[in-house]
Amino acid sequence: MAKSWYIIHTFTGYEQKIERTLRDMLERGQLDSNVVCDVKVPSEEVVEIRNNKKYVKRNKILPSYIMLEMDLPQVGWKPVCNAIRHIQGVTGFVGTNPQEKPRPISSDEAKSLLQQSGEIKGEKTVRVKQNYEAGDHIKIKEGPFASFSGIVEEVLLDKNKLRVNVQIFGRETPVELDFLQVEKEVV
């Protein structure tokens, strides 16, 4: 037996309720803590800028899904899986029929989801909800180029940055800026 991550499908909006139910069942001994090791609702931090204010919220990475770390035995897995399937709001394990032993996701998929949600220490990523496009006029709010204006040349979503052309000493100079350092300029 080895620990693996499994995905259960839930009704939309029931993720936190089911996570609490699973944790309660573990505390009360209704689920074996040697079999069900951890429960996660993968979510990521999203920063949105509206009206020059920064709003931070958590968005679910996989809406309607919960990750379970389990050490399922070859014999005796059915009672544990049936107890999980019978929780109100759970529709079942992803990729299997109720009569089959659930299949785990790959370790790469699990690592990717945990990194995205910031569960793996030191690798937390914050996604910025952006609404910038190439050609937008922006004003720089922070950093060494504060109070300069420029035009967005390229949006680098994976880095949460913009490549902006800024007029410095009469010359167009490309500058890479964080989404949080700029704001749209009304032209």
Side-chain angles (χ1 to χ4, degrees):
M1 294 190 303
K3 291 181 184 179
S4 298
W5 286 96
Y6 297 80
I7 305 285
I8 57 173
H9 185 260
T10 67
F11 294 162
T12 303
Y14 277 61
E15 301 90 351
Q16 266 71 33
K17 180 180 179 188
I18 293 168
E19 179 187 23
R20 282 192 306 273
T21 302
L22 285 164
R23 292 191 189 281
D24 287 345
M25 289 173 77
L26 284 166
E27 284 178 23
R28 286 188 261 131
Q30 294 173 327
L31 286 176
D32 187 355
S33 61
N34 294 324
V35 176
V36 178
C37 306
D38 201 359
V39 181
K40 302 241 185 266
V41 177
S43 59
E44 64 183 342
E45 206 170 271
V46 177
V47 176
E48 186 175 356
I49 300 166
R50 284 182 273 139
N51 302 327
N52 294 329
K53 290 188 181 178
K54 189 189 322 184
Y55 297 92
V56 179
K57 65 180 184 173
R58 295 209 55 93
N59 280 353
K60 293 177 192 87
I61 296 170
L62 298 172
S64 302
Y65 294 96
I66 295 176
M67 293 177 69
L68 285 176
E69 186 179 28
M70 297 194 299
D71 192 357
L72 275 183
Q74 291 292 22
V75 178
W77 58 268
K78 257 190 176 178
V80 174
C81 293
N82 284 338
I84 293 169
R85 282 188 188 104
H86 285 94
I87 296 171
Q88 184 179 358
V90 173
T91 59
F93 285 87
V94 171
T96 57
N97 294 327
Q99 293 76 28
E100 296 176 6
K101 185 178 178 185
R103 288 188 291 264
I105 61 174
S106 73
S107 59
D108 290 340
E109 289 172 316
K111 184 179 178 186
S112 172
L113 288 168
L114 292 171
Q115 278 177 339
Q116 202 174 345
S117 66
E119 298 290 337
I120 296 177
K121 303 219 180 331
E123 301 189 34
K124 186 174 183 176
T125 58
V126 176
R127 189 169 61 85
V128 177
K129 186 175 180 182
Q130 63 85 29
N131 53 356
Y132 299 106
E133 295 177 7
D136 284 349
H137 291 268
I138 56 100
K139 181 175 178 140
I140 303 170
K141 303 185 300 185
E142 299 173 1
F145 301 104
S147 77
F148 280 85
S149 294
I151 298 174
V152 176
E153 182 181 307
E154 185 180 4
V155 179
L156 307 166
L157 284 175
D158 53 336
K159 295 180 180 180
N160 287 334
K161 295 193 180 279
L162 299 171
R163 186 163 292 128
V164 178
N165 279 332
V166 180
Q167 284 276 2
I168 301 175
F169 302 122
R171 293 182 132 173
E172 290 261 322
T173 307
V175 178
E176 217 170 84
L177 300 166
D178 193 69
F179 288 159
L180 301 175
Q181 291 180 295
V182 300
E183 64 184 27
K184 273 193 178 179
E185 196 172 50
V186 181
V187 181

